Amino acid sequence: METSVDNKYTNAMPGDCVYNKEEDIAFLLVPKCATSVIRDYEKTNNDWSRIKLWEEEKCPGRFIVILRDPIERFISTVNMYLGWREVESQTDFVSFKFSDEGFYLQSNDAHFKPQKSFLIDMFDIIKRCNVEPIIDYFYYNKNIYNQINAEYGFSIDATKRLMQSHSIVNGVNESLIRQAYKADYDLIKSVKFKNI
């Protein structure tokens, strides 16, 4: 059974973007994929604002989507909760289930949800507006902000780290995570990254 991909979350919503109207470009916000620094960039730059794709009547002309290795993202999320961030009371955190098809996960916490589920509203607005925007995919790495700055001429502070967690957990059962995040691995294999 493939991990469910839906839009029922706590603590983050799919379709949230940081948008520059003049450039007509939107960062799609995917939790644990460089979004804290991108959101901070929006707050300190008047040219940028937050939008919710499901409320928009016009589709942005270009999207920037940062995807991350699901194992790395899962470990980062666990370390975040073991470190500085409390689990919200309405959050299910995460549990792994087993079916005849293998392991899958259940959670209503956006940090554990498959990255693929955060693209649903992007593809929905594209279909609704009947347009073909440019979608630039980047693969998360330590130089992601420098790579994005070089590509678009932005001035994101590449040295800024917000709410960094300690490395408490360093490894997981990779086979189980690969099964649980099959949708994300399929997505990562299907796109062309600008920085790889």
Side-chain angles (χ1 to χ4, degrees), residues 89-155:
S89 60
Q90 72 274 18
T91 299
D92 292 341
F93 199 59
V94 65
S95 59
F96 287 86
K97 307 291 184 184
F98 187 76
S99 75
D100 292 339
E101 297 176 33
F103 283 98
Y104 64 99
L105 66 85
Q106 288 184 333
S107 179
N108 68 343
D109 184 298
H111 301 92
F112 287 111
K113 286 302 238 181
Q115 296 164 81
K116 183 176 180 180
S117 63
F118 287 88
L119 279 65
I120 291 170
D121 285 303
M122 179 180 73
F123 290 119
D124 182 58
I125 194 171
I126 290 168
K127 183 177 179 181
R128 185 168 29 99
C129 294
N130 194 27
V131 293
E132 293 185 26
I134 297 166
I135 303 173
D136 293 336
Y137 291 96
F138 286 82
Y139 198 72
Y140 180 93
N141 62 61
K142 292 180 181 178
N143 294 315
I144 190 69
Y145 305 115
N146 286 327
Q147 292 166 343
I148 289 171
N149 286 339
E151 183 71 26
Y152 305 103
F154 298 156
S155 57

Side-chain angles (χ1 to χ4, degrees), residues 8-188:
K8 298 176 181 78
Y9 302 86
T10 66
N11 60 30
M13 289 299 295
D16 284 347
C17 292
V18 170
Y19 179 67
N20 184 304
K21 185 174 183 177
E22 184 177 319
E23 300 290 331
D24 196 23
I25 191 167
F27 278 100
L28 187 68
L29 299 177
V30 180
K32 301 308 289 178
C33 295
T35 57
S36 295
V37 172
I38 301 297
R39 287 192 325 264
D40 184 69
Y41 181 65
E42 175 262 324
K43 290 177 186 171
T44 58
N45 289 274
N46 292 334
D47 297 339
W48 294 85
S49 61
R50 290 287 290 273
I51 63 169
K52 297 172 177 20
L53 292 177
W54 64 89
E55 295 176 348
E56 295 297 310
E57 294 180 14
K58 178 185 175 288
C59 181
R62 181 184 299 257
F63 287 95
I64 300 171
V65 180
I66 303 169
L67 299 176
R68 187 174 187 177
D69 174 73
I71 292 171
E72 184 182 304
R73 181 173 176 256
F74 183 85
I75 290 171
S76 179
T77 299
V78 169
N79 283 325
M80 175 183 73
Y81 282 124
L82 291 176
W84 63 270
R85 186 176 182 135
E86 291 184 24
V87 178
E88 296 177 14
S89 60
Q90 72 274 18
T91 299
D92 292 341
F93 199 59
V94 65
S95 59
F96 287 86
K97 307 291 184 184
F98 187 76
S99 75
D100 292 339
E101 297 176 33
F103 283 98
Y104 64 99
L105 66 85
Q106 288 184 333
S107 179
N108 68 343
D109 184 298
H111 301 92
F112 287 111
K113 286 302 238 181
Q115 296 164 81
K116 183 176 180 180
S117 63
F118 287 88
L119 279 65
I120 291 170
D121 285 303
M122 179 180 73
F123 290 119
D124 182 58
I125 194 171
I126 290 168
K127 183 177 179 181
R128 185 168 29 99
C129 294
N130 194 27
V131 293
E132 293 185 26
I134 297 166
I135 303 173
D136 293 336
Y137 291 96
F138 286 82
Y139 198 72
Y140 180 93
N141 62 61
K142 292 180 181 178
N143 294 315
I144 190 69
Y145 305 115
N146 286 327
Q147 292 166 343
I148 289 171
N149 286 339
E151 183 71 26
Y152 305 103
F154 298 156
S155 57
I156 300 167
D157 184 351
T159 63
K160 186 172 260 184
R161 296 291 179 264
L162 301 172
M163 303 166 282
Q164 188 152 347
S165 299
H166 294 286
S167 184
I168 299 166
V169 173
N170 294 315
V172 293
N173 180 327
E174 291 189 13
S175 174
L176 189 145
I177 298 297
R178 286 183 194 283
Q179 287 179 58
Y181 288 98
K182 182 182 182 318
D184 282 351
Y185 281 105
D186 290 345
L187 171 65
I188 288 167

Side-chain angles (χ1 to χ4, degrees), residues 1-14:
M1 170 184 272
E2 185 174 309
T3 299
S4 65
V5 177
D6 59 39
N7 59 359
K8 298 176 181 78
Y9 302 86
T10 66
N11 60 30
M13 289 299 295

